[in-house]
Amino acid sequence: RKISIGMCEGLDLSLYLTKIGTEFKKINPTAELEFDSVPVDILIDKFKQGYYSIILIFSNTIEFYKANGVINKININEFIETNKCVVFSKNNPLSGNKKLSLSDFGNQTLYCLKKEHVPQKVLTHSDLLAQYKINPKIQFLSSLDAITMALQMGEGYTISDNHERILNNKDIQYFNLKEKQSISIVSRESPPLLISQFL
């Protein structure tokens, strides 16, 4: 039996996926796990259509979709907790400074990933910006690759979490904020087996 697992584009959960695969094989030795990584809108659509058995997604994102009636009759189980972080290039004028704060980037462009059906308040981290009392110029880009290239040009930053694949780029650096963000495992109600049962 093939179990398809989808996750948000950009997440780097390789350490945890190894654990999932190992534990799952212990109780389902004949099952085959198949992983896929796609943008969040496609992830939700494919899950609704039954393409994925389970998805891994930011908790606040799936709660937003559920609250707005985009998806329902699901089980949501928190998987891991991550730190939000400020991501910027080694070419950034602030690179090399120690003890940086989000406030230090206030005059630089904040690059945000454009997502359909997600409110601008969420995409632009407006609560976080208000907390740090900054009002940056915001630029929406269509993909994580586009954000990475924009960062590599020098000025500018993005707000991410410390399990984003973008952090694996050798030209990118980051520092953690105290604010947390969780990632959830989502399955349909009454599934034959929840991976979260043995995590």
Side-chain angles (χ1 to χ4, degrees):
R1 180 186 172 205
K2 184 178 287 187
I3 307 294
S4 294
I5 302 174
M7 69 182 74
C8 284
E9 178 185 39
L11 283 180
D12 184 6
L13 300 174
S14 51
L15 177 64
Y16 302 95
L17 296 183
T18 300
K19 177 183 176 184
I20 286 176
T22 300
E23 294 300 318
F24 194 82
K25 284 293 186 180
K26 287 180 183 177
I27 55 178
N28 286 273
T30 61
E32 179 184 346
L33 293 183
E34 179 181 78
F35 293 96
D36 194 14
S37 176
V38 295
V40 65
D41 298 322
I42 296 174
L43 184 74
I44 295 295
D45 286 342
K46 291 177 84 169
F47 181 67
K48 288 168 64 176
Q49 295 167 15
Y51 184 86
Y52 300 126
S53 305
I54 294 165
I55 58 174
L56 298 168
I57 189 170
F58 289 115
S59 302
N60 59 344
T61 303
I62 192 63
E63 292 291 356
F64 169 80
Y65 278 104
K66 184 178 179 182
N68 286 276
V70 176
I71 191 167
N72 49 38
K73 296 183 178 178
I74 55 174
N75 291 310
I76 302 173
N77 295 276
E78 188 171 309
F79 178 35
I80 56 172
E81 190 174 63
T82 70
N83 276 91
K84 285 187 176 291
C85 59
V86 177
V87 183
F88 55 103
S89 169
K90 291 180 180 177
N91 297 321
N92 192 292
L94 293 174
S95 179
N97 291 4
K98 295 184 178 180
K99 297 184 179 178
L100 285 171
S101 165
L102 178 56
S103 302
D104 296 321
F105 290 81
N107 294 326
Q108 294 192 21
T109 301
L110 170 60
Y111 296 107
C112 299
L113 184 61
K114 186 176 182 180
K115 299 177 185 176
E116 298 297 328
H117 313 303
V118 180
Q120 187 173 20
K121 179 178 180 181
V122 174
L123 295 176
T124 60
H125 310 276
S126 62
D127 291 344
L128 194 59
L129 298 181
Q131 179 182 329
Y132 283 85
K133 299 179 180 176
I134 59 175
N135 187 26
K137 176 187 173 185
I138 293 172
Q139 185 173 343
F140 286 100
L141 297 174
S142 60
S143 69
L144 288 171
D145 283 342
I147 289 178
T148 301
M149 287 187 285
L151 294 177
Q152 288 172 324
M153 294 297 290
E155 280 201 358
Y157 65 103
T158 190
I159 298 173
S160 181
D161 82 288
N162 57 10
H163 281 80
E164 288 278 6
R165 199 172 296 276
I166 190 175
L167 304 183
N168 295 338
N169 188 301
K170 62 180 177 59
D171 296 322
I172 297 297
Q173 59 189 73
Y174 72 98
F175 60 89
N176 287 332
L177 299 172
K178 63 182 179 182
E179 288 76 20
K180 303 285 186 180
Q181 178 159 296
S182 60
I183 296 171
S184 289
I185 290 180
V186 181
S187 62
R188 292 173 191 81
E189 287 183 345
S190 304
L193 177 68
L194 269 179
I195 281 185
S196 55
Q197 290 174 340
F198 52 80
L199 288 177

